[in-house]
Amino acid sequence: MVVAAALALAAPLTLGASADADADAGAAGAAGPARAVWAAPARPIVFARYDATHPVEDLYAISPGGGTPLALTHTPAVSDVMPSWSPDGKRVAFLRYGSGGAIDGIWTMKSTGGDLKSVPGTQGASEPAWSPDGKRIAYSRPVGTQREIYVADVDGTPATRLTHTPQDEFHPTWSPDGKNLAYSRADTTSGNSRLMRIQLSTLTQTPVTLAGSHDWTPDWSRGDRIAFSRVDSTGFAHLYVVRPDGSGTYRVTSARANDKSPSWSPDGRRLVFTRGGTDDADPEHLFLVRADGTALTQLTTADLHDLEADWRP
């Protein structure tokens, strides 16, 4: 099944002239890859998309200026999720899993689709994050009943375990200098989750946000700030920003909606994120917002689920 899906991706897609509206692309995406093509933006956004009536996820790319998303994968038997750009923008790492939920592992492909390569030793892993120097990938991986943070070269070796805790560690993100990772630590007993930071040279772990928080999906900017999603006292998930030392926390979004999975723009001025998704009947769309909370813009409008966006560096 996986081999057949890989063969289906063998021919890369081409980026060409401008195309039609996002809603039309959404309808095409539900039935198969979009055939429309669009002008390749300098810094595209890659994301996962699925239709609630056919919940198999594929990867798409879209210009920050909007327009029709371009399908990068089309795999009817497996789902492709959690994309992460390489720092040179030439490849995308992502997670692939089967219809039964079994995680096949982390793969990479060209930024326009095709040339698939599996990362050995990543079966069961998730949430890949490409290092700033382009040589390594960090990810979360199960160890017994917990998930821990690992880092490996792009070829999968050597895989080094960084965390050893009774909690679950999720969603690593690199500091701009590649010397640290931030990630979410979830307490399976209380259900709380806080942000942590680990120094790779010493494996020293330092809390970034407070215990008792509900903090998820951090993303570290080139400007040395960390954006994340927090379920706060309103009961909704909102975007927040914090410095790596835990200071200067402030809220970016405040709507009565669930905002998650922020990703910084290359210049550190804006964020792309997912809004919506209380259940499968509630579509999820990509939005853009300035880091100060102004200039909120809806990027995708199709009646689908658009998730886990990553903005090309």
Side-chain angles (χ1 to χ4, degrees), residues 20-41:
D20 302 323
D22 178 70
D24 295 332
R35 298 304 175 189
V37 292
W38 42 279

Side-chain angles (χ1 to χ4, degrees), residues 24 178 192 234 267:
D24 295 332
N192 297 330
T234 66
D267 61 9

Side-chain angles (χ1 to χ4, degrees), residues 205-253:
Q205 300 176 50
T206 306
V208 178
T209 60
L210 298 176
S213 300
H214 298 274
D215 299 338
W216 305 92
T217 59
D219 190 60
W220 203 322
S221 78
R222 290 185 177 182
D224 217 26
R225 292 177 296 170
I226 299 172
F228 62 98
S229 179
R230 166 178 286 177
V231 179
D232 56 27
S233 59
T234 66
F236 292 95
H238 295 130
L239 301 190
Y240 282 73
V241 169
V242 65
R243 295 190 183 100
D245 64 3
S247 66
T249 303
Y250 69 90
R251 188 168 69 178
V252 178
T253 62

Side-chain angles (χ1 to χ4, degrees), residues 9-299:
L9 285 171
L13 300 171
T14 302
L15 302 180
S18 62
D20 302 323
D22 178 70
D24 295 332
R35 298 304 175 189
V37 292
W38 42 279
R43 294 290 188 268
I45 294 166
V46 65
F47 64 98
R49 163 175 280 186
Y50 77 92
D51 184 340
T53 63
H54 183 65
V56 174
E57 294 164 287
D58 286 301
L59 299 183
Y60 286 74
I62 189 171
S63 166
T68 302
L70 177 71
L72 301 181
T73 69
H74 177 54
T75 53
V78 295
S79 286
D80 297 328
V81 296
M82 300 179 180
S84 173
W85 282 105
S86 65
D88 61 7
K90 294 181 179 180
R91 298 190 69 83
V92 176
F94 62 96
L95 170 67
R96 169 164 285 182
Y97 68 92
S99 57
I103 298 176
D104 182 49
I106 295 170
W107 294 62
T108 72
M109 67 176 176
K110 287 184 177 179
S111 60
T112 51
D115 189 29
L116 260 73
K117 297 179 180 179
S118 65
V119 179
T122 60
Q123 288 75 15
S126 63
E127 300 157 328
W130 216 308
S131 67
D133 63 7
K135 297 178 180 179
R136 295 169 293 171
I137 293 177
Y139 52 87
S140 174
R141 177 179 166 186
V143 179
T145 59
Q146 274 75 44
R147 298 191 70 85
E148 305 289 354
I149 302 298
Y150 281 74
V151 64
D153 290 348
V154 176
D155 65 2
T157 57
T160 302
R161 180 177 171 182
L162 302 181
T163 59
H164 298 74
T165 75
Q167 290 84 30
D168 285 323
E169 323 285 6
F170 293 99
H171 206 99
T173 179
W174 293 84
S175 63
D177 61 10
K179 296 180 179 180
N180 294 266
L181 289 168
Y183 56 93
S184 299
R185 170 174 290 173
D187 186 327
T188 55
T189 302
S190 67
N192 297 330
S193 176
R194 68 193 303 185
L195 301 190
M196 300 290 297
R197 174 169 51 88
I198 186 168
Q199 186 177 12
L200 271 65
S201 61
T202 64
L203 301 187
T204 301
Q205 300 176 50
T206 306
V208 178
T209 60
L210 298 176
S213 300
H214 298 274
D215 299 338
W216 305 92
T217 59
D219 190 60
W220 203 322
S221 78
R222 290 185 177 182
D224 217 26
R225 292 177 296 170
I226 299 172
F228 62 98
S229 179
R230 166 178 286 177
V231 179
D232 56 27
S233 59
T234 66
F236 292 95
H238 295 130
L239 301 190
Y240 282 73
V241 169
V242 65
R243 295 190 183 100
D245 64 3
S247 66
T249 303
Y250 69 90
R251 188 168 69 178
V252 178
T253 62
S254 57
R256 293 183 62 81
N258 287 314
D259 299 336
K260 55 189 178 182
S261 301
S263 176
W264 288 99
S265 63
D267 61 9
R269 296 179 180 179
R270 293 188 291 169
L271 293 159
V272 60
F273 65 96
T274 292
R275 170 170 287 181
T278 55
D279 54 42
D280 267 349
D282 180 17
E284 296 170 280
H285 300 125
L286 299 186
F287 282 74
L288 302 176
V289 68
R290 289 179 181 164
D292 63 3
T294 63
L296 180 70
T297 304
Q298 188 168 338
L299 184 60

